[in-house]
Amino acid sequence: MSACIPAAVARACAAKVGRVLPLRGRTRGLAVAFVLMVGVGLASSTHAGEAAPSFGLDASDAWRSSQAAIGHRIGDFALLDRAGRPARLASYRGKPLLVSFIYTGCFQVCPANTRALQESVAALQQRFGAHRFNVVSIGFNQPTDTPLAMKAFAAQQHIESPDWDFLSPDPAIIAALTADFGFRALATPSGYDHVLQLSVVDSEGRLAYQLYGDRPSTATLAEVLQRLFDGVPVPEPTALSALLDRVRLLCTVYDPVTGTVRVDYSLALELAGGATFLLSMLLYMLNEWRLRRRAARLTRRKASARTPAQAGAD
């Protein structure tokens, strides 16, 4: 989004306003502010549309689906581990469980996101100790994400922890499985657009928390896990935290230079800048209106204070 006003828009608006009513003094300033505000609004919406990241999913719908899953008890789905052995999700109950969804044909975002999760898991295990919680990565692109493909993916990421499993579900259960976790993915010509989401499941199999974006916050994960260990309810995210999560959901991009996934905050900052400018214009207009009302009141008071003699002299 840009704060520049297209010259044609400004000229057209100014010309139209000029033809409708001759403007003087503060009224002219008020009209100029209005023209600026309208022009910036039009330019901002145009530039925002050009700069917005391509995200095949309906972001608002994906967000609502993900958040609505919190508190839901995950079904006892039967999957296969890397060795092709049955693994039921209910078998992980008794400890907190971190769940991520990946697809092995992803050569950029999923590996980078998994490496970031690996760093967080290492830090959490160092803090809480080994075997305090489990991690599973589920391959949602079926029938491609076979146990063999998941095994190869884990090997490429050098993940050998006994507390971290890579699971392959049957294609028939994908819809129900992803719905339980509030996970959304959309097939595209280049692969999948999908939510970068880490789900935290409590020891009873209920989804307790969702994290989003380029890398999970180790501090947030530690706080959530500590509450689950202590049997304390996990609070809902604050309004600010929820807003940041939505930004991460919308603005996560892959950086080919560093080979990592990151959040591109430029769009959010541009939107915030545009909103700030528009708010400033509104405040300016409000201040102009107040000054005009004050001037009008003073004029009326002076007129009412004039004596009859002064009025007759006039």
Side-chain angles (χ1 to χ4, degrees):
M1 172 168 36
S2 171
C4 300
I5 305 173
V9 173
R11 286 196 300 269
C13 292
K16 185 174 181 181
V17 172
R19 287 196 301 268
V20 173
L21 181 68
L23 302 175
R24 297 177 181 177
R26 295 192 183 277
T27 306
R28 179 177 298 165
L30 191 62
V32 170
F34 178 75
V35 170
L36 288 173
M37 186 177 68
V38 171
V40 170
L42 293 174
S44 298
S45 62
T46 301
H47 285 277
E50 295 171 354
S54 176
F55 194 82
L57 291 173
D58 183 324
S60 296
D61 183 60
W63 168 262
R64 287 193 297 268
S65 175
S66 179
Q67 288 295 295
I70 296 176
H72 177 74
R73 189 180 183 92
I74 305 299
D76 183 19
F77 295 97
L79 301 90
L80 298 176
D81 67 12
R82 284 170 280 182
R85 297 170 299 199
R88 305 192 71 91
L89 289 186
S91 67
Y92 295 96
R93 293 174 187 171
K95 298 179 183 179
L97 176 67
L98 310 183
V99 180
S100 68
F101 284 87
I102 63 170
Y103 73 100
T104 58
C106 174
F107 301 108
Q108 298 176 336
V109 175
C110 291
N113 190 241
T114 301
R115 288 192 296 271
L117 177 58
Q118 187 178 16
E119 294 175 6
S120 293
V121 168
L124 293 168
Q125 288 178 334
Q126 185 175 9
R127 173 172 176 172
F128 297 117
H131 315 307
R132 294 291 307 280
F133 61 93
N134 291 308
V135 186
V136 298
S137 293
I138 299 175
F140 65 85
N141 182 23
Q142 296 301 331
T144 303
D145 292 338
T146 62
L148 184 61
M150 298 298 286
K151 180 178 181 180
F153 184 91
Q156 291 167 2
Q157 311 312 316
H158 307 289
I159 297 176
E160 300 176 352
S161 171
D163 300 320
W164 193 332
D165 287 332
F166 287 77
L167 305 179
S168 178
D170 187 279
I173 69 169
I174 286 293
L177 174 64
T178 54
D180 268 16
F181 284 95
F183 174 80
R184 291 293 181 89
L186 178 68
T188 68
S190 59
Y192 280 93
D193 279 342
H194 65 93
V195 177
L196 281 179
Q197 169 182 300
L198 180 67
S199 301
V200 183
V201 181
D202 66 19
S203 60
E204 296 181 353
R206 288 186 176 84
L207 206 162
Y209 204 85
Q210 304 274 38
L211 289 90
Y212 308 94
D214 55 332
R215 56 176 57 240
S217 167
T218 303
T220 301
L221 273 173
E223 180 182 353
V224 172
L225 286 175
Q226 186 64 66
R227 286 180 170 273
L228 294 180
F229 292 146
D230 295 340
V232 178
V234 178
E236 294 183 2
T238 62
L240 176 60
S241 178
L243 176 61
L244 292 176
D245 280 341
R246 297 196 71 163
V247 170
R248 296 186 188 102
L249 183 67
L250 287 166
C251 305
T252 299
V253 297
Y254 175 76
D255 187 343
V257 176
T258 62
T260 60
V261 180
R262 63 180 175 82
V263 175
D264 183 3
Y265 289 104
S266 61
L267 175 62
L269 292 176
E270 289 174 358
L271 291 172
T276 301
F277 184 84
L278 292 176
L279 178 61
S280 299
M281 289 297 97
L282 289 174
L283 291 176
Y284 173 80
M285 293 173 65
L286 177 61
N287 186 57
E288 288 291 301
W289 175 74
R290 292 176 61 187
L291 289 174
R292 291 175 60 194
R293 287 195 62 187
R294 184 181 300 173
R297 284 198 301 269
L298 289 175
T299 301
R300 288 195 298 269
R301 288 175 183 173
K302 289 180 179 179
S304 62
R306 298 168 68 190
T307 62
Q310 289 175 324
D314 291 340

